[in-house]
Amino acid sequence: MTSRAGTRAGTPEADRPAVEAEQRLLDAARDAFAAKGYHGTSTREIAAGAGMSPAAMYIHFRSKQDVLARLSIEGHISALAHLRAAADAPGSPTKCLRATVYAFAYWHAENTTTARVVQYELSHLDPDSRARVVRLRRDIVATVRTIVADGARQGAFAVADVDTTTLAVLSLCIDTARWYPSRRLDTPEAVGASLAAMAERMVGADGHSGRPSPPTPTEP
């Protein structure tokens, strides 16, 4: 995932200017793609957003599509890492579901600009990058499906169809990128807590009364 946090830790001092310039380009492209879409953004606009000349962009990236691929792949890797960290925590299926949905929804709220690019610009990737992203997305689906299937098998969840329920839970989190923030859900913590409780109701978790249950926080 890219961010405005600055140069990656461990970058040799001599390489810092190049890495920082690359990051500024990625940040500018992310913001432009999220606001105007891939085709609505020019390389000139990306360079200008990074405070560089148009020619400077090609020192760091081969093309606009190369920039999109980097954003999309790193975004998916980051989202999957947060999802897996929550899913690997010990506990009951219900606790695991709450923690996982909290983490995934939190990521989409905390990184909402990146999430818009990750989710809505997939069709513009080159074939190799798209194939890599598809594999990452399959890993995301498999991680959540395992939780739902385990809960159903153990009798903790009352679901008619594991695959459909998995899709519904994932969609709940991913759609955050479209509407965040709202008047009530205006922080990543609020989004994570609300959607975690909603997911618990969706799976018919055992003993759930319909009242929101506090999730197990697993924040980035």
Side-chain angles (χ1 to χ4, degrees), residues 2 15 76 78 97 143 145 152 169 199 209 213-214:
T2 60
D15 295 338
H76 277 90
S78 176
L97 179 73
T143 300
R145 189 188 188 283
V169 169
S209 64
S213 299

Side-chain angles (χ1 to χ4, degrees), residues 2 4 17 26 36 45 69 107 115 124 139 141 151 157 165 172 214:
T2 60
R4 299 186 186 278
L26 287 168
K36 303 176 64 176
E45 288 174 302
W107 186 91
H124 302 307
D139 289 343
V141 173
F157 300 160
T165 303
L172 190 68

Side-chain angles (χ1 to χ4, degrees), residues 92-94 148 150-159 200 203-208:
S92 67
T94 301
V148 175
D150 286 348
R153 185 177 61 254
Q154 295 176 32
F157 300 160
V159 298
E200 186 178 350
V203 301
D206 54 348
H208 188 73

Side-chain angles (χ1 to χ4, degrees), residues 62-186:
R62 293 170 296 178
S63 64
K64 184 174 72 168
Q65 193 168 82
D66 192 28
V67 178
L68 176 64
R70 174 79 170 271
L71 288 168
S72 188
I73 290 168
E74 290 191 357
H76 277 90
I77 288 172
S78 176
L80 177 59
H82 284 88
L83 185 72
R84 281 179 167 168
D88 288 343
S92 67
T94 301
K95 182 178 179 181
C96 187
L97 179 73
R98 288 200 306 263
T100 302
V101 171
Y102 183 99
F104 202 45
Y106 186 110
W107 186 91
H108 279 81
E110 176 73 5
N111 304 281
T112 185
T113 308
T114 297
R116 287 172 188 158
V117 176
V118 163
Q119 298 300 338
Y120 301 140
E121 303 299 331
L122 181 65
S123 63
H124 302 307
L125 291 170
D126 64 274
D128 288 344
S129 298
R130 182 182 174 88
R132 186 174 177 188
V133 165
V134 167
R135 289 194 295 271
L136 290 166
R137 292 169 80 94
R138 286 174 179 165
D139 289 343
I140 288 171
V141 173
T143 300
V144 176
R145 189 188 188 283
T146 296
I147 296 169
V148 175
D150 286 348
R153 185 177 61 254
Q154 295 176 32
F157 300 160
V159 298
D161 186 289
V162 169
D163 290 329
T164 301
T165 303
T166 299
L167 177 62
V169 169
L170 283 169
S171 297
L172 190 68
C173 300
I174 290 169
D175 195 50
T176 300
R178 179 184 60 80
W179 56 258
Y180 179 82
S182 69
R183 284 187 299 175
R184 188 172 69 84
L185 302 180
D186 58 356

